[in-house]
Amino acid sequence: GHIVEQINMIQDIIKAGYAYEVNGSVYFDVKKYASSHDYGKLSGRKIEDLLETTRDLEGQEEKRDRADFALWKAAPPEHIMRWSSPWGEGFPGWHIECSAMATKYLGKEFDIHGGGMDLLFPHHESEIAQSTICNHRTPAKYWLHNNMITVAGKKMGKSYNNQISLTQMFSGDHPLLSQPFHPMVIRFFILQTHYRSTLDFSSEALV
């Protein structure tokens, strides 16, 4: 629903000289940005340390630097997501949709940006970089990062097969639940912990 806005934003970043196209993909030039901006300010990371934590992704050999991130990716034949763009058929990178949608609905600068701690880097750091170049200002005044909900000490998530939906909590229809729980009980349980602290979930803790 916001492909046009994302393409327009990428074009603006290219025009500003902070992105480059390779084989139908477009990458953000992190080193160039860091030479005149404080990349890593939010997460406290230094660009010299980024290579140690850069994920191994497809197309790394196309980049000028491993720290660069994709704004637009060329779609291989088997890829389901694909839209027409000035660079050929492809799909947006991971970070650009958030900046495009935030700019459209909240403006070039807004007060508060939330999200989980796992998004602090590289997602939010990349959002700041691309929004700053495109909109000539940092997107948010304050960043609030909540910690993870864990189950028996493990992060709750699909990959761990321990995810519990709110509907299941309300109905009690889950192997980890001993009974259904009222929404206000769930709310009170969550509010007992500071948003930046880990919240360990269990049926016993809710009783």
Side-chain angles (χ1 to χ4, degrees):
H2 297 83
I3 295 297
V4 172
E5 290 87 351
Q6 292 175 75
I7 289 174
N8 290 341
M9 198 168 207
I10 295 169
Q11 288 178 311
D12 287 343
I13 297 170
I14 292 173
K15 286 176 187 174
Y18 286 87
Y20 56 93
E21 185 267 335
V22 182
N23 299 326
S25 294
V26 181
Y27 297 98
F28 188 92
D29 193 331
V30 172
K31 275 197 172 178
K32 181 172 182 179
Y33 177 83
S35 68
S36 56
H37 299 80
D38 192 1
Y39 185 80
K41 183 179 180 180
L42 184 67
S43 61
R45 300 200 185 202
K46 296 180 181 177
I47 194 163
E48 293 80 13
D49 304 328
L50 297 184
L51 293 182
E52 299 175 10
T53 54
T54 300
R55 299 175 298 161
D56 288 323
L57 300 172
E58 290 182 19
Q60 289 287 0
E61 68 284 349
E62 295 181 341
K63 298 179 181 180
R64 293 177 184 170
D65 191 277
R66 281 177 60 85
D68 295 349
F69 59 86
L71 296 169
W72 186 267
K73 287 292 291 179
E78 70 279 3
H79 205 278
I80 297 173
M81 289 195 304
R82 54 198 317 117
W83 292 271
S84 296
S85 81
W87 317 286
E89 281 201 346
F91 55 95
W94 177 27
H95 315 297
I96 194 69
E97 69 172 351
C98 294
S99 290
M101 292 173 70
T103 300
K104 179 174 181 176
Y105 295 110
L106 302 176
K108 293 181 178 180
E109 186 179 42
F110 49 94
D111 289 332
I112 300 172
H113 193 310
M117 278 189 175
D118 55 339
L119 299 178
L120 178 60
F121 181 87
H123 185 50
H124 289 162
E125 206 71 73
S126 299
E127 270 193 73
I128 290 173
Q130 61 198 15
S131 293
T132 298
I133 294 303
C134 192
N135 297 329
H136 311 293
R137 65 193 73 184
T138 54
K141 296 178 182 176
Y142 303 99
W143 295 78
L144 303 179
H145 293 96
N146 61 283
N147 215 320
M148 300 297 103
I149 294 178
T150 60
V151 178
K154 265 189 181 177
K155 175 184 171 182
M156 182 185 285
K158 290 180 182 178
S159 57
Y160 296 111
N161 200 29
N162 64 354
Q163 196 170 19
I164 306 173
S165 70
L166 286 173
T167 304
Q168 289 172 318
M169 289 184 185
F170 303 154
S171 67
D173 185 23
H174 193 281
L176 293 175
L177 296 172
S178 60
Q179 64 184 68
F181 293 95
H182 191 278
M184 291 303 290
V185 173
I186 304 295
R187 184 179 183 184
F188 180 71
F189 173 71
I190 292 171
L191 290 174
Q192 289 181 91
T193 305
H194 189 275
Y195 76 96
R196 295 191 70 176
S197 300
T198 302
L199 179 63
D200 195 56
F201 174 87
S202 69
S203 192
E204 291 75 21
L206 285 167
V207 174

